[in-house]
Amino acid sequence: MAALITENFRFLSLFFKSKDVMIFNGLVALGTVGSQELFSVVAFHCPCSPARNYIYGLAAIGVPALALFLIGVIWNNHTWNLVAECHKRGAKNFSAAATFLLFGSIIGRAAVAPVTWSVISLLRGEAYICALSEFVDPASLDEFPSRYGPETLARFPCKDIPGNLTSFKEEVIRRLRYESQLFGWLLIGVIAVLVFLTKCLKHCCSPLSYRQEGYWAQYRSSEAKLFQRTAEVHSKILAANNVKQFFGFVALNKEEKELVEEFPVKGVQPSPQWNAITGVYIYRENKGFPLYSRLHKWAKGVEGNGPGPDGQEMVFLAT
């Protein structure tokens, strides 16, 4: 059991497999910070009303975070690779631990933006103050007038308060901002520890050397770029051939004519080939030689995901 768990922890290498992932996560975080600042200036207006404050404050933090999380899941290629894998082959090739960690890797990447949003919201404190101002215990405020209750405290985030309560307003806002920022810094600390532990686990559980991991990352990047570039050219030439067959001619510019002449396209790839290179990739070695992607595996004629008598399979999620 311990060996199975250790093997499947190799999925955690997803986050730190290449510098591109870290750069992308950094850009996502910066974009989220800018969006949060814009939202605070333009869209955030505390209703300053009992019961409504709490709902509005939580919604200001939670709803954008949820939307950013769902967008992150949708934009993650692994999500659709997993969907394709389940649709075409089912989940029979994955253990429960591997499936859990696979979902964890998808959720982890998607969590960058919502966590950043939540942290910035807590550090700013506006939504937290709006949500919890009415729940401050008046008895905790020295010499607070007894005739004022939660209805008045709910108006503290706004300017419309009785003049004799200004000092109490400052105290309440200062207290709530302290709590909000404390939670924000604690969240940053927890995330930092989790990232550190994940990176340590990745290095401890990786069956590959540091240099081979770097080579694998470079290979995946090169393969993805070349595949995308070639697919664009192939689809353009195929479309040109079909248009020409229909109209008898095709209007191409000079560059497109050169492409058609240089790369003749006579057919299309059948669906089984597309299915073979689509889905979640499990790192595999065949007779001691690594197979770095589904395309690499297809090119070498290796079938299936399960380890055979002449092959060795090591669970690793490729980007």
Side-chain angles (χ1 to χ4, degrees):
M1 181 64 182
L4 178 63
I5 294 176
T6 300
E7 180 185 20
N8 287 292
F9 261 117
R10 294 166 186 159
F11 270 97
L12 293 173
S13 64
L14 170 67
F15 256 88
F16 303 96
K17 189 60 68 176
S18 70
K19 293 181 180 179
D20 292 343
V21 173
M22 302 300 292
I23 293 174
F24 176 77
N25 289 341
L27 292 176
V28 170
L30 289 175
T32 305
V33 171
S35 300
Q36 213 283 336
E37 291 292 330
L38 181 63
F39 171 81
S40 298
V41 173
V42 177
F44 185 84
H45 300 287
C46 185
C48 296
S49 173
R52 294 180 181 177
N53 280 18
Y54 184 71
I55 297 174
Y56 184 83
L58 291 183
I61 298 176
V63 173
L66 176 62
L68 290 171
F69 175 77
L70 294 177
I71 291 173
V73 171
I74 292 172
W75 279 0
N76 194 329
N77 289 335
H78 293 298
T79 302
W80 308 114
N81 283 335
L82 179 61
V83 171
E85 185 75 21
C86 294
H87 176 66
K88 297 296 182 182
R89 305 174 187 89
K92 59 184 179 181
N93 294 318
F94 301 106
S95 65
T99 303
F100 173 78
L101 290 172
L102 176 58
F103 277 106
S105 67
I106 295 174
I107 292 172
R109 279 195 179 183
V112 173
V115 167
T116 303
W117 179 276
S118 301
V119 167
I120 298 303
S121 297
L122 290 172
L123 292 180
R124 290 182 62 90
E126 292 178 349
Y128 187 90
I129 292 171
C130 177
L132 298 181
S133 62
E134 65 182 283
F135 298 104
V136 174
D137 184 8
S140 65
L141 301 173
D142 294 336
E143 300 181 359
F144 187 80
S146 59
R147 64 180 181 275
Y148 297 114
E151 295 80 6
T152 303
L153 291 171
R155 293 162 53 191
F156 274 18
C158 303
K159 298 180 180 180
D160 183 20
I161 63 169
N164 62 329
L165 298 180
T166 301
S167 61
F168 297 106
K169 171 185 174 180
E170 294 175 353
E171 172 64 22
V172 168
I173 290 179
R174 182 165 50 250
R175 183 185 303 179
L176 293 177
R177 179 168 284 116
Y178 155 75
E179 294 177 1
S180 179
Q181 292 184 349
L182 177 62
F183 289 140
W185 289 120
L186 288 176
L187 181 57
I188 291 175
V190 170
I191 296 300
V193 170
L194 289 177
V195 170
F196 172 74
L197 294 177
T198 301
K199 192 169 181 66
C200 290
L201 284 173
K202 174 257 178 180
H203 284 293
C204 291
C205 299
S206 174
L208 305 180
S209 67
Y210 176 79
R211 291 185 180 276
Q212 190 175 5
E213 283 191 20
Y215 177 84
W216 187 16
Q218 185 62 50
Y219 171 85
R220 292 198 313 272
S221 177
S222 298
E223 181 187 87
K225 292 176 182 178
L226 289 172
F227 189 93
Q228 179 66 26
R229 194 185 312 158
T230 304
E232 291 177 359
V233 173
H234 187 281
S235 60
K236 181 177 292 186
I237 295 174
L238 180 63
N241 291 341
N242 292 337
V243 171
K244 182 177 181 179
Q245 185 174 354
F246 183 83
F247 286 107
F249 72 96
V250 59
L252 301 173
N253 56 36
K254 183 179 179 181
E255 181 180 350
E256 291 170 339
K257 289 180 180 179
E258 293 176 353
L259 285 177
V260 172
E261 293 174 357
E262 185 175 358
F263 304 108
V265 173
K266 297 181 179 180
V268 297
Q269 289 68 32
S271 293
Q273 290 187 10
W274 286 104
N275 293 336
I277 67 171
T278 303
V280 175
Y281 176 63
I282 297 179
Y283 177 84
R284 177 170 178 162
E285 288 187 359
N286 183 258
K287 297 181 180 180
F289 293 95
L291 301 173
Y292 290 119
S293 69
R294 280 196 169 276
L295 181 61
H296 190 190
K297 205 164 76 169
W298 172 85
K300 293 296 183 180
V302 179
E303 299 292 338
N305 267 341
D310 59 347
Q312 179 186 8
E313 197 170 63
M314 290 176 287
V315 182
F316 244 113
L317 185 64
T319 55

